[in-house]
């Protein structure tokens, strides 16, 4: 009898495990226990809130109800939640012990308990309760006629306290609605930091009432009013998100110096007596940068007016952002203008500064009290870290192999030198790398010998979205859904890293993010219609599903140079990492090579026939769609490989292996339309 009970228990656990694997939760909770039975949803479903939460919970629960009602179409009777204990007998009971504070180290844990008759969410703060509501939404299941939540207990809390996304609004300005819908995406994925990159060479994006020249001369009229910023800060607060603004100094200074050239470092030799008597005539004229890259315009650290103006800028900007952190950039200062300026060189000697790095540290240290005056802690990219940098600064680690640095080295150096740090290396989503590369990057170094105190200084990580090649139309598709996988890395247990399972869940999560207004799926068709000249886009869509944008920053090298006003409406802009058909094709090839059954062969063959047909259809489409012309050579190369490999699979090929390889190698090109064929490696396997 005892063994029978054990066997029955094992059977229940196995059944629960199978159900658990079918769930599409992301980030995956720290602990979830599935039980028998479920909670059936009806139109009478109501929510009650108790405890001592922040008022943000009322709007949060209302949004939850609307999203749940939108998914189920049940027409819930409850509309807006406005007060505590409004429905004491409600099916969903939410209890929060205290009002959550927006910032780091706040208790974001929650417990969800689903039984047949009632659902309970208990959390220390309303921030945890909001996370619990997101998990509950993801638990929703259905059969052919109804919706329900499986009975379960979820015990959950984040692994890291800093789980962020940076959006660069300087290179390509991102309108308010774009920022807001991405804040909704962050909240859905339990992320809690929005790093807003607002100033760079390509523009100043903050309304300045005391220094209007910054927007008059250096924004192209594209900036956020102070009221819009306050509105976005409030929007983020209601979703439990901290906003960290960034004004990048002393490098990346083109926009600031366009308005205030007198604080620039560029040196002009004064040759004539007139020039020497009228030095004002020798001030350099700077301009907003229109290209991508790293440029020399840099603020002058020897000029007292530099610090006067920056202090005044911070006095106006800091009050707009109630959070405790302010990012001052500090990256990629070439120091070229400093090296060529005799006055700055003399300043270095007078202050005992032997290198430009030490000079930049001097500059950065002048900003610390300016920010501290407003209750802000300084944060900067890893270049600000030197032996003399304040230990109160947060070091933002971004360099890796592409910059000649071992992955994670700067992060380890930071914590060993006593700094708190945030990791972005490995999370640069603008590089168009596949989701797995981000998912398997961990802020906690695996092979570093760190003490518990040093590990505690690793705050977390941040997905980083630079926008040299992203417009408001394409931005969402560059952020989502990969950022959801990064959110899981920053929230879930360290051992949650099964890539295939992540991909399965991510597909569902991606679709659900659309209900928040995110456009990462729908805008693809907008771009394809433009390319097709409003003809049928089916062949373009099929081809885009095996193509990916060039990775790294290679799209902007050689050939066409993208300016900040260049079109981002082309085929590469419709393509995304992790091309869907390429992933399926790779699995089909692996299955066939493992077991060459007729069924497995058929799964490979169907793709070859599809791509042969696509090539033909694209040629027809191009007759009245000039934008299709650039992809025709690549489609033809895929067609040629498909024809050749079909003959191989049918044992009808007369080609030698080297001849076949040459045909397939033609698919390994980056010369067409700023994309690459994501199926090349799989094609190679078949030779």
């Amino acid at each position: 009898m005892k063994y029978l009970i054990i066997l029955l228990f094992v059977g229940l656990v196995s059944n629960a495990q199978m159900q658990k694997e079918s769930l599409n939760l992301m980030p995956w909770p720290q602990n979830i226990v599935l039980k028998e039975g479920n909670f059936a949803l009806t139109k009478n479903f109501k929510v009650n809130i108790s405890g001592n939460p922040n008022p943000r919970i009322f709007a949060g629960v209302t949004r939850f109800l609307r999203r749940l009602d939108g998914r189920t179409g049940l027409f819930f009777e409850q509309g807006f939640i406005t007060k505590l204990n409004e429905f004491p007998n409600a099916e969903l009971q939410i209890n929060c012990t205290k009002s959550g504070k927006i910032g780091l180290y706040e208790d974001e844990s929650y417990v969800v308990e689903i039984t047949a008759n009632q659902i309970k969410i208990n959390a220390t703060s309303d921030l945890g309760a909001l996370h619990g509501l997101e998990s509950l939404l993801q638990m929703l299941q259905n059969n052919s006629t109804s919706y329900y939540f499986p009975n379960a207990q979820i015990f959950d809390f984040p692994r890291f306290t800093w789980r962020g996304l940076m959006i660069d609004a300087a290179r390509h300005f991102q309108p308010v609605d774009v920022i807001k819908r991405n804040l909704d995406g962050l909240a859905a994925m339990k992320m809690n930091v929005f790093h807003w990159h607002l100033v760079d060479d390509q523009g100043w994006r903050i309304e300045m009432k005391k220094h209007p020249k910054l927007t008059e001369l250096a924004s192209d009229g594209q900036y956020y009013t102070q009221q819009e910023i306050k509105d976005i800060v409030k929007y983020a607060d209601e979703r439990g998100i901290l906003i960290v603004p960034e004004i990048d100094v002393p490098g990346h200074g083109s926009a600031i110096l366009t308005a205030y050239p007198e604080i620039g470092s560029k040196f002009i030799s004064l040759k004539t007596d007139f020039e020497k008597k009228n030095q004002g005539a020798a001030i350099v004229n700077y301009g907003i940068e229109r290209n991508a890259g790293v440029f020399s315009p840099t603020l002058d650290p020897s000029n007292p007016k530099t610090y006067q103006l920056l202090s005044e800028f911070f006095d106006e900007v800091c009050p707009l952002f109630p959070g405790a952190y302010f990012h001052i950039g500090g990256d990629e200062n070439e120091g070229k203008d400093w090296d060529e300026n005799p006055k700055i060189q003399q300043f270095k000697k007078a202050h005992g500064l032997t290198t430009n790095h030490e000079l930049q540290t001097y500059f950065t240290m002048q900003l610390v009290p300016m920010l501290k005056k407003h209750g802000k802690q300084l944060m900067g990219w890893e270049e600000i870290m030197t032996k003399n940098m304040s230990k109160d600064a947060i070091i933002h680690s971004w360099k890796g192999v592409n910059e000649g640095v071992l992955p994670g080295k700067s992060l380890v150096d930071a914590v060993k030198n006593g700094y708190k740090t945030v990791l972005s290396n490995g999370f640069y989503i603008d590089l168009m790398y596949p989701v797995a590369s981000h998912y398997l990057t961990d802020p906690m170094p695996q092979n570093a010998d760190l003490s518990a105190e040093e590990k505690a200084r690793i705050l977390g990580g941040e997905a980083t979205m630079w926008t040299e090649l992203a417009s408001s139309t394409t931005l969402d598709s560059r952020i989502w859904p990969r950022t959801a996988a990064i959110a899981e890395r920053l929230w879930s247990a360290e051992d949650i890293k099964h890539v295939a399972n992540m991909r399965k869940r991510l597909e569902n999560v991606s679709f659900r993010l659309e209900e928040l207004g995110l456009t990462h799926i729908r805008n693809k068709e907008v771009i394809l219609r433009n390319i097709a000249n409003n003809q049928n886009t089916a062949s373009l869509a099929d081809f885009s599903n095996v193509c990916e944008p060039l990775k790294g920053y290679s799209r902007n090298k050689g050939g066409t140079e993208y300016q900040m006003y260049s079109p981002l409406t082309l085929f590469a802009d419709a393509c995304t990492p992790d091309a869907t058909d390429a992933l399926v094709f790779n699995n089909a090839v692996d299955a066939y090579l493992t077991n060459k059954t007729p069924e497995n062969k058929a799964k490979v063959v169907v793709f070859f026939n599809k791509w042969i047909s696509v090539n033909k259809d694209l040629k027809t489409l191009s007759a009245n769609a000039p934008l299709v012309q650039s992809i025709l050579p690549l489609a033809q190369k895929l067609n040629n490989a498909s024809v050749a490999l079909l003959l191989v699979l049918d044992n009808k090929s007369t080609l030698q292996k080297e001849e076949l390889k040459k045909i397939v190698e033609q698919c390994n090109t980056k010369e067409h339309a700023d994309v690459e064929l994501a199926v090349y490696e799989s094609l190679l396997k078949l030779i």
Side-chain angles (χ1 to χ4, degrees):
M1 185 65 183
K2 178 170 70 173
Y3 294 115
L4 179 60
I5 292 172
I6 292 173
L7 287 170
L8 286 171
F9 176 75
V10 170
L12 288 173
V13 171
S14 298
N15 185 49
Q17 185 64 35
M18 287 175 61
Q19 293 180 45
K20 193 184 294 188
E21 290 173 353
S22 71
L23 295 175
N24 291 309
L25 301 176
M26 185 173 278
W28 192 261
Q30 300 294 336
N31 186 273
I32 177 169
V33 179
L34 284 174
K35 302 182 177 181
E36 292 298 315
N38 59 66
F39 176 96
L41 270 173
T42 70
K43 66 180 296 186
N44 299 318
F45 180 77
K46 290 185 176 62
V47 186
N48 188 57
I49 304 168
S50 60
N52 188 31
N54 184 285
R56 71 171 69 88
I57 193 67
F58 299 124
V61 171
T62 299
R63 291 193 302 273
F64 162 81
L65 273 174
R66 299 289 72 77
R67 289 164 67 191
L68 184 60
D69 212 4
R71 292 185 189 185
T72 62
L74 288 171
F75 287 79
F76 294 147
E77 295 173 354
Q78 189 175 18
F80 294 85
I81 317 299
T82 58
K83 59 186 178 181
L84 295 174
N85 294 312
E86 195 170 6
F87 294 98
N89 298 318
E91 290 85 355
L92 173 55
Q93 294 288 331
I94 301 173
N95 182 264
C96 309
T97 308
K98 67 169 189 175
S99 174
K101 295 180 181 178
I102 303 300
L104 304 187
Y105 306 113
E106 186 70 347
D107 189 337
E108 300 177 76
S109 64
Y110 66 91
V111 177
V112 176
E113 186 172 3
I114 305 170
T115 63
N117 299 316
Q118 192 172 65
I119 303 173
K120 294 179 182 178
I121 296 179
N122 289 303
T124 302
S125 74
D126 48 273
L127 302 177
L130 291 174
H131 296 324
L133 287 169
E134 294 294 344
S135 290
L136 184 58
L137 270 173
Q138 292 182 350
M139 288 287 287
L140 183 66
Q141 306 290 311
N142 66 273
N143 53 35
S144 62
T145 58
S146 60
Y147 293 89
Y148 62 91
F149 295 110
N151 291 348
Q153 281 185 319
I154 301 174
F155 306 87
D156 205 9
F157 56 88
R159 183 173 168 224
F160 293 103
T161 190
W162 190 295
R163 308 178 305 282
L165 167 69
M166 187 280 288
I167 293 180
D168 167 17
R171 271 50 177 263
H172 277 94
F173 180 72
Q174 304 300 328
V176 170
D177 64 315
V178 177
I179 299 299
K180 284 185 172 181
R181 70 194 187 214
N182 277 282
L183 287 171
D184 283 323
L186 292 183
M189 292 297 106
K190 303 181 176 66
M191 298 179 86
N192 66 337
V193 177
F194 172 51
H195 172 184
W196 203 356
H197 188 85
L198 289 160
V199 176
D200 215 297
D201 289 296
Q202 293 80 3
W204 177 285
R205 305 301 182 195
I206 312 164
E207 178 191 20
M208 301 293 284
K209 295 180 179 178
K210 295 180 181 177
H211 297 86
K213 282 201 298 183
L214 287 166
T215 48
E216 289 171 0
L217 301 176
S219 75
D220 294 318
Q222 294 184 312
Y223 60 90
Y224 304 99
T225 69
Q226 293 192 11
Q227 186 54 51
E228 284 173 332
I229 290 173
K230 291 176 183 177
D231 179 49
I232 288 172
V233 168
K234 181 175 181 290
Y235 195 89
D237 181 286
E238 290 173 346
R239 286 149 181 81
I241 296 170
L242 166 73
I243 294 186
V244 178
E246 180 181 353
I247 294 176
D248 201 348
V249 289
H252 291 280
S254 301
I256 293 175
L257 298 179
T258 298
Y260 292 97
E262 63 269 28
I263 64 170
S265 298
K266 183 71 174 177
F267 174 71
I268 292 183
S269 177
L270 304 177
K271 297 176 181 177
T272 67
D273 289 338
F274 176 80
E275 287 177 330
K276 292 175 182 177
K277 290 179 182 178
N278 301 275
Q279 291 192 20
I283 291 177
V284 177
N285 288 320
Y286 293 89
I288 299 173
E289 188 54 60
R290 303 302 184 184
N291 293 326
V294 180
F295 308 98
S296 59
T298 311
L299 277 59
D300 183 353
S302 70
N303 187 344
K305 188 172 182 182
T306 300
Y307 303 110
Q308 175 197 334
L309 280 172
L310 286 174
S311 182
E312 291 170 2
F313 296 168
F314 290 138
D315 286 346
E316 188 165 359
V317 173
C318 283
L320 301 174
F321 298 94
Y325 309 94
F326 202 107
H327 206 298
I328 57 87
D331 62 316
E332 296 181 324
N333 174 21
E334 293 182 325
K336 179 182 176 183
D337 288 354
W338 288 358
D339 292 336
E340 296 174 353
N341 190 316
K343 182 170 72 77
I344 293 175
Q345 292 304 308
Q346 185 179 357
F347 181 86
K348 281 173 68 177
K349 290 180 182 178
H351 288 80
L353 305 170
T354 58
T355 66
N356 284 340
H357 208 170
E358 290 180 2
L359 178 58
Q360 181 159 329
T361 300
Y362 173 90
F363 168 87
T364 306
M365 287 298 292
Q366 310 311 304
L367 309 187
V368 172
M370 297 180 197
L371 295 171
K372 192 171 286 187
K373 169 184 172 184
H374 296 282
K376 308 294 185 194
Q377 189 172 344
L378 183 145
M379 180 178 187
W381 301 104
E382 64 188 63
E383 287 93 329
I384 73 169
M385 182 173 61
T386 63
K387 62 181 180 180
N388 296 320
M389 190 63 221
S390 168
K391 291 295 189 288
D392 288 335
I394 296 175
I395 305 301
H396 198 160
S397 172
W398 71 275
K399 291 186 178 181
V401 175
N402 290 341
E403 295 75 35
V405 178
L406 291 174
K409 182 181 184 301
S410 59
L411 180 137
V412 171
D413 289 346
V415 297
K416 283 191 173 293
N417 286 321
Y419 295 99
K420 291 180 179 177
T421 185
V422 171
L423 180 69
S424 274
N425 177 251
F427 297 140
Y428 266 52
I429 49 179
D430 67 311
L431 294 176
M432 298 289 104
Y433 291 153
V435 66
S437 69
H438 305 308
Y439 189 64
L440 298 177
T441 296
D442 199 301
M444 192 63 65
Q446 300 303 300
N447 300 316
D449 182 19
L450 300 179
S451 67
E453 183 180 0
E454 288 167 342
K455 288 180 179 179
R457 296 191 192 117
I458 300 174
L459 302 178
E462 194 173 280
T464 314
M465 184 61 225
W466 302 106
T467 61
E468 287 93 340
L469 293 169
S471 67
S472 57
T473 301
T474 64
L475 182 79
D476 295 359
S477 70
R478 275 60 188 135
I479 296 175
W480 306 103
R482 288 175 300 151
T483 295
I486 295 173
E488 178 158 289
R489 178 56 51 238
L490 301 176
W491 177 285
S492 304
E494 184 178 358
D495 62 353
I496 302 297
K497 50 187 176 185
H498 190 275
V499 173
N501 180 265
M502 175 273 291
R503 287 190 190 279
K504 188 271 295 184
R505 291 181 286 123
L506 189 63
E507 183 177 357
N508 184 270
V509 167
S510 180
F511 146 64
R512 287 302 184 189
L513 285 169
E514 279 203 303
E515 72 186 15
L516 302 171
L518 288 164
T519 63
H520 58 297
I521 298 174
R522 70 188 74 170
N523 274 5
K524 178 174 182 174
E525 182 62 22
V526 172
I527 298 171
L528 293 182
R529 274 199 301 274
N530 174 65
I531 296 169
N533 200 17
N534 202 31
Q535 300 175 84
N536 189 305
T537 60
S539 57
L540 275 171
D542 284 339
F543 195 52
S544 74
N545 289 335
V546 294
C547 292
E548 296 177 356
L550 295 183
K551 296 170 178 57
Y553 295 118
S554 54
R555 181 175 174 181
N556 219 8
K557 287 181 181 177
T560 301
E561 178 73 14
Y562 283 84
Q563 279 80 36
M564 293 306 108
Y565 44 77
S566 298
L568 293 170
T569 54
L570 309 177
F571 186 68
D573 303 299
C575 296
T576 59
D578 303 291
T580 53
D581 279 5
L583 292 169
V584 178
F585 177 67
N586 185 60
N587 291 337
V589 168
D590 287 346
Y592 171 72
L593 293 176
T594 301
N595 187 2
K596 296 183 178 181
T597 64
E599 292 78 14
N600 284 341
K601 175 185 172 182
K603 291 177 182 178
V604 175
V605 167
V606 72
F607 279 104
F608 289 146
N609 287 327
K610 181 178 184 179
W611 298 332
I612 292 168
S613 176
V614 162
N615 181 53
K616 178 183 175 183
D617 291 344
L618 286 174
K619 288 178 180 177
T620 302
L621 186 68
S622 69
N624 189 34
L627 288 177
V628 175
Q629 295 291 337
S630 64
I631 64 174
L632 292 182
L634 193 59
Q636 183 64 51
K637 289 171 181 177
L638 182 57
N639 172 90
N640 296 344
S642 298
V643 170
L645 288 169
L646 272 176
L647 291 172
V648 170
L649 292 180
D650 288 335
N651 295 314
K652 296 178 181 178
S653 178
T654 59
L655 294 172
Q656 296 295 317
K657 184 175 180 180
E658 288 306 312
E659 293 176 297
L660 181 62
K661 191 172 183 181
K662 284 181 182 179
I663 294 173
V664 172
E665 282 292 343
Q666 291 294 308
C667 295
N668 185 25
T669 176
K670 297 173 173 46
E671 297 177 355
H672 307 291
D674 290 330
V675 297
E676 58 188 55
L677 281 169
V679 294
Y680 163 69
E681 295 290 344
S682 301
L683 295 173
L684 208 58
K685 291 178 185 179
L686 288 168
I687 299 177

